[in-house]
Amino acid sequence: MLEPGSTIGILGGGQLGRMMAMAALQLGFRVIGYAPPGDNVASSACDDFFANGWGETNALAAFASKCDRVTWEFENVPLSALEAIPENLLAPHPRALGIAQDRLKEKRFVEDLGATCAPYGRVDSDEDFARAVERIGTPGILKTVRDGYDGKGQWRIASAQEAQGVRFPGRPCIYEGMVEFETEFSVILVRDAGGEVRFWDSTANTHEGGMLVHSVLPAGSLVEAQVDEARAIARATAEALNYVGVLTLEFFATRSGPVFNEMAPRVHNSGHWTIEGAATSQFENHVRAITGLPLGGAGTRFARIDMRNIVGEEAGSAYRILAEEGEPHLHLYGKKEARAGRKMGHVTRVSNDAS
């Protein structure tokens, strides 16, 4: 267990790191961030911040020397960067990143644990792509095996004719058949070093352009009927990885049961509601888990919860939300540029009106 005043290092400078840092500060820890130069909004919540590239091993070593524990806020931290950080400082273990960064490894990993995935095939050439479309059919989606999130590095294919106009992008990809589903939902858990696991309630999630825009509780009868099966897969995943911290698995709720979509070895956008809506937020429980503190409760505190992302230029009028009914809790991330499709903040509304 880390002592009060110990230092937590966070790799990545985005809003997840910002909210994680705020939770760590509340618990009496110091926080140091590390990310390549840019609009690193987490820096305002850190005691110190290294704005250096992932390949700068001397800077990474200097950063690590100041930390008692190191974690990350997004899954695209290069594994090579972690080699400059002593393994005993890292939580979760980098093996989780190694799987989550490769969509093929990720699917095979969860399938071995009993999960159902959409039909898929590896694509390394135009010929591979044509064969995958012929075997799996359309509609489907072509994704790069590595990198890409919030809809980036993805090409939706509506028909075989449309597939003929899509060229292999020159790096390993995966082609997935589209899943007929009623809604999407996420399972977010926290696991400590002793193996204790706690789950937050699963929200029903809405995506636009591959990016989450809306999460609600209750999630509906279909999701509620499939949560136990999805949680079993998530627990098995955490145990197989000997995972420490917050872990998220996303699923499609289909008529035949939950279908695995992807894994995020970190705190997650669909868990932002836990700041106001749960006994302990995902950010605080992640900090508790990686520092050896007792886990907090994950129970939901309200009958209804609605979380929406604030995207792009919506941030310019976001303060108007504070005058609306429904107890809005506004979180703006302090980003300088309101680009189209960029997450600028979120608002959570909570209510005990069950109607």
Side-chain angles (χ1 to χ4, degrees):
M1 181 186 299
L2 296 187
E3 297 295 323
S6 298
T7 299
I8 297 173
I10 299 175
L11 298 169
Q15 64 266 18
L16 298 177
R18 175 187 173 100
M19 288 182 274
M20 193 188 303
M22 293 166 70
L25 292 172
Q26 180 179 316
L27 290 171
F29 295 109
R30 296 185 70 255
V31 180
I32 298 178
Y34 187 107
D39 190 5
N40 288 310
V41 296
S43 63
S44 63
C46 293
D47 297 280
D48 193 7
F49 198 91
F50 284 68
N52 296 92
W54 296 123
E56 297 185 44
T57 55
N58 289 338
L60 283 161
F63 161 79
S65 71
K66 297 177 178 290
C67 299
D68 299 294
R69 188 74 75 248
V70 176
T71 191
W72 54 79
E73 60 118 24
F74 79 129
E75 63 267 43
N76 287 328
V77 176
L79 289 175
S80 57
L82 300 183
E83 294 175 1
I85 300 173
E87 187 176 300
N88 67 300
L89 293 183
L90 291 165
H93 191 281
R95 70 172 69 90
L97 282 184
I99 292 171
Q101 288 179 359
D102 186 308
R103 288 189 168 95
L104 277 169
K105 286 184 179 179
E106 180 182 72
K107 289 184 181 297
R108 291 166 180 165
F109 183 80
V110 297
E111 280 182 327
D112 287 344
L113 297 171
T116 299
C117 297
Y120 66 92
R122 183 177 179 118
V123 174
D124 290 312
S125 65
D126 285 327
E127 292 74 19
D128 284 347
F129 179 47
R131 284 191 291 269
V133 171
E134 182 178 3
R135 178 174 64 85
I136 296 170
T138 58
I141 183 167
L142 182 68
K143 301 178 181 179
T144 55
V145 167
R146 291 184 172 274
D147 301 325
Y149 59 95
D150 286 348
K152 302 176 180 69
Q154 301 182 11
W155 299 267
R156 293 180 180 272
I157 313 297
S159 65
Q161 182 178 2
E162 184 176 302
Q164 294 175 3
V166 176
R167 300 271 70 85
F168 173 63
R171 47 184 172 151
C173 288
I174 182 173
Y175 179 72
E176 299 178 18
M178 298 292 280
V179 175
E180 291 188 14
F181 61 92
E182 301 295 325
T183 189
E184 298 175 71
F185 69 99
S186 50
V187 173
I188 307 178
L189 64 80
V190 62
R191 183 178 186 272
D192 67 16
E196 181 179 356
V197 174
R198 297 189 180 182
F199 293 94
W200 285 273
D201 283 337
S202 289
T203 56
N205 301 326
T206 302
H207 291 76
E208 294 179 2
M211 182 178 71
L212 178 73
V213 294
H214 189 203
S215 295
V216 296
L217 280 173
S221 58
L222 184 63
V223 171
E224 290 166 1
Q226 298 184 12
V227 160
D228 286 348
E229 183 177 347
R231 283 184 174 184
I233 296 298
R235 182 188 291 272
T237 301
E239 291 176 350
L241 293 170
N242 196 22
Y243 194 89
V244 176
V246 168
L247 173 69
T248 306
L249 273 69
E250 295 183 68
F251 293 88
F252 300 111
T254 77
R255 293 181 179 179
S256 57
V259 174
F260 172 80
N261 181 26
E262 61 185 17
M263 175 177 77
R266 55 169 172 82
V267 292
H268 197 258
N269 192 172
S270 65
H272 289 355
W273 66 270
T274 63
I275 297 173
E276 289 84 23
T280 310
S281 77
Q282 63 168 345
F283 302 101
E284 181 175 333
N285 255 342
H286 183 77
V287 172
R288 289 190 187 205
I290 67 172
T291 59
L293 295 176
L295 297 181
T300 301
R301 300 174 56 231
F302 297 92
R304 303 189 67 83
I305 295 174
D306 183 301
M307 189 284 297
R308 291 183 181 272
N309 280 329
I310 296 168
V311 181
E313 294 182 355
E314 294 175 354
S317 58
Y319 286 142
R320 297 178 184 175
I321 293 171
L322 296 175
E324 297 175 0
E325 296 181 358
E327 298 190 35
H329 298 271
L330 179 64
H331 299 256
L332 293 179
Y333 305 145
K335 294 182 179 181
K336 298 175 183 178
E337 185 181 353
R339 297 191 302 268
R342 192 182 195 199
K343 296 174 185 174
M344 303 298 292
H346 72 269
V347 58
T348 302
R349 292 178 171 86
V350 298
S351 171
N352 276 322
D353 181 0
S355 60

